[in-house]
Every structure is written in C-alpha cells, then in structure tokens.
Amino acid sequence: MRSKTHLFRSAAFAVMGALLLTSCGGGGGGGSTPTPTPTPTPTPTPTTVYTPPAAEALTTVDVERVLAQAISEAQARGLPSVIAVTDRVGNVLGVFRMTGARAIATTSAAPNGVNIDAQNVTFPAEGGAIAKAVTGAYLSSGGNAFSTRTASQIVQEHFPPAPGVTAGLESGPLFGVQFSQLPCSDLSARFGAPGAAALIGPKRSPLGLAADPGGLPLYKNGVLVGGVGVMGDGVYGSDADTRDVDNDPEEFIALAGTRGFEAPSTITADKITVDGTSLRFADATFAGVMSSGSASFASLNGTAGNLVAVIGYANAAVTAGVAYGSEASGVRASTPAEFSNRDAFVLTNGSGANRYPLRAGTDGATNSAPLTQAEARAVLEEAFTVMSRARAQIRRPLDSRAQVTISIVDTHGAVLGIVRSPDAPIFGTDVSLQKARTAAFFSGTQAGTELGANASADVRQFVAATRAFLNSPAALTGNIAYADRAVGNLARPYFPDGEVGRPQGPLSRPIAQFNPFSTGLQSALIIGNLGAHLGFVSGASPTDTPARCTTLPDVTAGQNRLQNGIQIFPGSVPIYRGNQLVGAIGVSGDGIDQDDMISFLGAHNGGARVGGIGNAPAAIRSDTVVVNVGAGVRLRYISCPFAPFLDTAQQNVCNGL
C-alpha cells in the first residue's frame, strides 16, 4: 500500500532557548532600574551535515617518492615491475617500467578451459598497474580505505571466498563491480582533453576495477589523494581463498610505495565488517618490507628503468595530482542554483559548468508522460535527504553518515541529474549510473527486443534463457518492474544465490565457465568495447572504443540505453507514473542495503512531494515472480536495513510502501 503522506523528512533540529538573565541594581534607599532583558537569538538551523575533505593533492615530489619507494622494494624482491600512480579522480600521474619487467599480463582462465569474454586475455602490463591504482583510489574515501585485495573479496561467487567451505554463502556484496569504470563509459573523462578539462575526473580504467592484490590507496595528511598499482608477476587474477595469508610481492611493492602516504589504520578495510565478516585490506605488512625507502627517484630514473607513456592514459612524465573538490578535479560543491542542499557535490567540466544539470526527460517520442525537471529534482533531493540521515555500513567511525552518489535517468538511459555527498567514493559515480540504467532497461518494454536483435549470438541467447528460466514468453517486455537486486538474482552462477549444485541464473555463465572476468550478459555486452580499447592501448589499433558501451541500437542519435554497461548488485529502482515506466534512480557508495533504501525511499518521498510519480506498483514488482526450481524461489526487489537512521530508532522503514 502506498502512503499518502511524505514520510521520512529530515527532523527539525531542536533550538535551545537562551537563559534569561536579570540584573538587580544596587544603591542606597532607592529602587533599582531594571535592565532590559535581551531578546534571545535563535540558534540557526545547520545547513550542512557533512565535512568536505581538505584540499590535498600529490605533488610531483610526492609522486616521485611513491615511485622510488616501490621501485626499491621491487629491486629488493627481484621482481621488475610496472608501477602506476593516480590521483583520487583517476588522473594517471606517472607510470614507471623497470628494466626487465614483463611486457604483458594475462587474466585468469575459465575453470573449464573454454575461455570467453575477458578470460585468459593478454594486455599491456601498464594497463593492469593503472587499473590497480584506480581501484585503490576509487573504492576508498575519508571513511574507508579499500584495496584491490578488498575488491577481490567482494566480487566473487561466494562471500567470503574460501574453496570447499562456502556452500550456501551468497556472492560478494559488490559482485559485478569489476565491470564498472569501463574504458567505454560515457560518464568517464579521458586523458588528453584540452585546457581546463585536462584533469577533470572521474577518469576511466583500462580494465574496469581490479581484484588482483597490488593496488592500494594513498593518503596525505589523512586525506585520500590517490592510489598506487603494481603489475610484476604477469598474472592478473584474484585471491580465491581468504583463509590464508599470502606472501604477494606485488602487494609488498605497493605497500612500500605508500610509506608516508599510508591509509589511516582506523579506516582500513579490516576494521569494517559486512554481514559479520571482516573485510581484507593487505596481507603485506611494513614489517615484511625489504627496502629502506631512502633511494631518490632521480637515482633510479634511467638506471632502474624509465617513465613510460601509456596510450590513452599518460605521458612519459611525472604530473602533479589535482585536489579533489576543486573545479579542476571535475567534482566540486554545488551552487545554490544547481542544488538546494548545501552538502551536495556535482560533476563539472573544469570550466564551471555542471556536466549533468537537472533536466526533464528526453524520451517524449516513446514515453507519453516523461519525467519533468521538477520531478527529477524532487527525487534527487529526497534521496539525498534519506542518505544524509542514514547510518553508514562501510565507513568509520561507527555511526558515520552514509555517503553515496545518486543518478536519475529516463527510459532512454539519458542522465537527468547526478548528485553526490562530499566524500562519497568515486567508484559509485559510474556505478550509480549503471544501476539506474539497468533498472530502467530491464523494466522497459524493449529489453527483450533490443537484446534479441543484438549482432552477438552470445548476447541474444540470454533472452531465450531468461524466458525459459522464468517460464514466461512475456519476460523482458515491460510486464515486470526490475530493481537491480532482482537483475542480480538472475545474474548469479548459482540460483538461488550461493546454493552450490544449483544451475546458474539465466543472465550468468555456468559455474564451470564462470570467473570474475566472465560474469554473463554483463561481460558479453561490453567485451567488444574492451577488446577494441586494449588493442588501442597496446598500439595494435589506431582506433579507441567510443565513449558508449554495448552495441544496443540507438534510441536517439549517438545514445543507447546502456552507455556505460549494466550493473548486477543492488541499489536501484525504476520510477513509475501509475503503471507507466518513466525512469529510474541508482545509488552507490555504501552498503548495498543502504543503497537500496536510499533509491527506494528517494523515489517514494520524491513522488509524495510532487505527486504523480513513485515506485512501481506492488503488483508488478519483481518480488511477485516465483521461479520454479525445486521449491519455488521468489525474486527480490529491495532489501532495506533495520533501524537505519541516525535520528530515529524506527525500523522496517520500507515496509508497506
């Protein structure tokens, strides 16, 4: 049942009355003249609840120090490596190739040896080092420090991954996030832009996010400023067993590089739990570092190796990073005209213009009731309010506020607005847009038609598989509203998720074929883009992938519905006007239940504020679909955390909406 009232508004801050002070006059024999009682001045209601990160950036001297420390450790370990450093928004500040370093790296092969998608793919080692550095920077924030080892733990088919003892455990909470920040993403900026746009981010990654240990974040005066990545052993894989402690030379080399730029120990991943499991940060420790870190970059450059150019990413030089939050970084505080909440940050073009200003739906040719600009604003603002009240899952200290990026799209996948909190992890920017587009696409009438007409037979077969699995010829024709949690249910290598011995979901590869480099439809849609880009980076091809993922047909000139790929973990819902799909909202940057709640309540509260729009009618949501695999298994829609708010003990906040 849908509520008619606007729930979950921000509670008003209590204003304490000033104490009234009276003064008694002295003097012999006469009465005192009363001192006028001052009119108390109300305490102003705070206009912000977040503290933006301090303006810190890596200097060229800093970058050289990180490189020199990592090079020295690689020398001590006898593992010539490629080392990359990025800033927080993904600008590559330097790539150093040591003499004798392997030229290429290779992704993990399929378990059954029948390689598909990005399995067993070779690519320039520089691409792996950059992807690892980007991952360390993008997954981290002022409240959490994550590494590529953390990423490995949260993207596999079981959480935590541990062969032989994980039967029944669901997949990692960020299963599929490795196929974000893609080199084809239309959101990501590209190296080589002229003028003011040169350093704007977020920048893309050559391989998406990395799960191979050897990528760590960099902090300066306690502020996240970038990441360092190391590619030395030629194997670009993941850690399939978290029960042991690895002696990983690449991770030790990266850790040595962070000396003086270490993540604060209070926020490293091992201080954060998900479903009662502590996350992993690094198996390497400074006690095991072999080098002193005293060698200068000048003494190593030209003798131990050289700075190298990487096509599409970097010149053969050291560059200073840009301070996150500045206009030049591409992510800055919003102006009052752009967004009413003074905590809101937006993406910018480096010259002052918001890259994704609030606007009305662009899909009037195929949608008789597009979202208005006022409706898009209401949904984003209300979702932002929910976020600012929510207790974070992946931030320290405990009881920190959630910080995420929020995107809204129309049924064509066109962006109607993007807003983020000041310290939200960068990875969530691209991912929130992927989630919104995924929910809109799979809930739309055209999903089966567009996938079924794809030039790739591999992509086409997922349509028939889905219809057979759901026992519904009408599947993917707009009859069901799919939140991203439901799409994820269908995209797992076991269905139900984690139950070993069960068949895969219809959007996944079978378990004998599956690994993090081949997830199913998600990877099949973009493998051509990835191959074209790696050919460009290697110099084998003069043509880069366009800034548009997938080969879906255009809905308008130069625009398809999945321009940065799909995402298959929770945090989005479609938006409806009555029974008519009009768009979707996507959220990313905190725990998946928090992301679900912010999107769901944002759509509900925004609709209650303006009238006419809101969440999908309950009768068509994906949790009405029961899949007959032995005992019937119901798809999910959303999952909201219990007692999620900092300003109230209210529980079950999504029930009945």
Side-chain angles (χ1 to χ4, degrees):
M1 182 176 70
R2 293 189 50 189
S3 170
K4 299 295 185 182
T5 59
H6 183 186
L7 302 179
F8 315 119
R9 290 277 198 175
S10 294
F13 289 87
V15 179
M16 298 185 65
L19 294 174
L20 302 181
L21 302 178
T22 59
S23 174
C24 295
S32 63
T33 302
T35 300
T37 301
T39 302
T41 302
T43 302
T45 300
T47 57
T48 60
V49 296
Y50 295 105
T51 301
E56 293 280 3
L58 291 167
T59 65
T60 55
V61 172
D62 294 335
V63 177
E64 289 177 349
R65 179 180 171 187
V66 172
L67 289 172
Q69 292 174 159
I71 294 165
S72 295
E73 184 66 15
Q75 288 179 321
R77 291 180 173 274
L79 184 65
S81 299
V82 176
I83 302 155
V85 177
T86 70
D87 65 14
R88 181 172 181 173
V89 295
N91 293 299
V92 179
L93 309 182
V95 180
F96 193 92
R97 166 174 284 281
M98 295 178 66
T99 303
R102 291 176 172 87
I104 62 171
T106 306
T107 62
S108 298
N112 63 2
V114 182
N115 298 302
I116 196 169
D117 296 336
Q119 293 171 327
N120 202 40
V121 168
T122 59
F123 56 89
E126 287 80 359
I130 292 171
K132 291 186 184 186
V134 166
T135 302
Y138 277 18
L139 287 179
S140 302
S141 72
N144 73 292
F146 284 5
S147 67
T148 53
R149 187 175 291 279
T150 315
S152 178
Q153 186 182 10
I154 58 182
V155 302
Q156 297 190 53
E157 64 269 30
H158 294 294
F159 176 77
V165 298
T166 53
L169 293 181
E170 293 185 349
S171 53
L174 267 62
F175 181 96
V177 76
Q178 64 271 30
F179 286 105
S180 67
Q181 331 306 317
L182 293 166
C184 52
S185 172
D186 63 333
L187 179 138
S188 297
R190 296 192 175 191
F191 169 75
L199 292 175
I200 72 161
K203 290 292 199 296
R204 60 185 178 166
S205 167
L207 295 152
L209 294 183
D212 186 29
L216 294 168
L218 298 168
Y219 287 76
K220 185 174 180 179
N221 298 320
V223 178
L224 176 65
V225 289
V228 57
V230 177
M231 197 73 241
D233 61 13
V235 178
Y236 187 77
S238 57
D239 179 10
D241 192 345
T242 59
R243 295 171 298 177
D244 57 5
V245 176
D246 295 335
N247 180 13
D248 190 311
E250 291 178 333
E251 194 168 60
F252 275 104
I253 294 166
L255 184 67
T258 70
R259 187 185 278 124
F261 303 95
E262 307 96 325
S265 61
T266 55
I267 65 168
T268 50
D270 55 307
K271 310 303 190 303
I272 294 171
T273 61
V274 175
D275 294 335
T277 296
S278 295
L279 298 178
R280 303 290 293 274
F281 183 65
D283 283 358
T285 65
F286 281 107
V289 169
M290 296 179 176
S291 57
S292 67
S294 60
S296 69
F297 181 74
S299 69
L300 297 169
N301 188 26
T303 57
N306 294 280
L307 291 163
V308 294
V310 182
I311 299 172
Y313 290 91
N315 296 318
V318 169
T319 304
V322 62
Y324 168 83
S326 66
E327 174 66 31
S329 74
V331 186
R332 59 156 170 81
S334 66
T335 66
E338 290 168 335
F339 206 81
S340 62
N341 191 300
R342 293 297 75 234
D343 282 311
F345 271 46
V346 296
L347 302 186
T348 183
N349 69 350
S351 298
N354 185 347
R355 288 176 61 197
Y356 298 105
L358 281 159
R359 60 173 175 165
T362 67
D363 51 353
T366 57
N367 176 11
S368 62
L371 285 166
T372 67
Q373 181 178 334
E375 290 169 338
R377 177 181 292 277
V379 171
L380 283 181
E381 288 181 347
E382 294 302 323
F384 198 96
T385 296
V386 173
M387 170 199 66
S388 67
R389 298 179 55 219
R391 181 180 290 105
Q393 167 70 47
I394 62 165
R395 300 182 73 86
R396 290 296 178 268
L398 292 173
D399 290 336
S400 294
R401 297 178 191 273
Q403 298 217 39
V404 302
T405 303
I406 309 165
S407 297
I408 187 169
V409 300
D410 63 18
T411 62
H412 287 178
V415 182
L416 307 187
I418 295 178
V419 67
R420 47 185 281 114
S421 61
D423 190 43
I426 289 292
F427 87 93
T429 315
D430 187 65
V431 171
S432 68
L433 182 56
Q434 286 183 318
K435 290 180 180 181
R437 284 172 167 166
T438 300
F441 179 80
F442 281 92
S443 301
T445 60
Q446 76 301 315
T449 300
E450 292 193 357
L451 292 174
N454 197 276
S456 165
D458 186 31
V459 170
R460 294 196 301 271
Q461 61 90 18
F462 288 104
V463 178
T466 300
R467 289 173 173 167
F469 190 81
L470 298 178
N471 193 28
S472 173
L476 304 180
T477 63
N479 59 330
I480 295 295
Y482 287 96
D484 217 352
R485 187 175 289 268
V487 176
N489 290 162
L490 299 174
R492 296 300 189 265
Y494 298 113
F495 187 94
D497 190 10
E499 294 195 8
V500 175
R502 297 278 194 163
Q504 79 272 18
L507 302 181
S508 177
R509 303 292 186 198
I511 192 62
Q513 178 71 59
F514 170 88
N515 70 14
F517 299 102
S518 181
T519 55
L521 177 62
Q522 182 191 39
S523 50
L525 280 168
I526 57 85
I527 189 59
N529 300 98
L530 191 59
H533 179 64
L534 293 177
F536 174 72
V537 172
S538 70
S541 170
T543 306
D544 196 0
T545 182
R548 48 170 292 154
C549 300
T550 84
T551 55
L552 291 181
D554 282 358
V555 287
T556 58
Q559 170 75 47
N560 68 51
R561 299 180 205 268
L562 298 174
Q563 292 270 117
N564 63 334
I566 69 171
Q567 198 44 258
I568 53 176
F569 66 96
S572 67
V573 295
I575 301 171
Y576 282 75
R577 191 184 306 282
N579 291 313
Q580 183 174 355
L581 176 72
V582 292
I585 176 176
V587 175
S588 191
D590 203 81
I592 54 176
D593 290 354
Q594 282 75 8
D595 292 350
D596 258 0
M597 178 185 72
I598 294 165
S599 63
F600 183 75
L601 294 185
H604 174 81
N605 294 354
R609 175 172 136 186
V610 296
I613 62 167
N615 281 298
I620 65 169
R621 293 177 189 171
S622 54
D623 56 6
T624 63
V625 176
V626 177
V627 182
N628 293 315
V629 285
V633 177
R634 190 178 298 274
L635 293 184
R636 304 290 298 281
Y637 193 66
I638 58 155
S639 179
C640 294
F642 291 99
F645 293 128
L646 293 167
D647 56 4
T648 176
Q650 185 177 8
Q651 299 189 36
N652 300 320
V653 297
C654 299
N655 282 11
L657 301 182

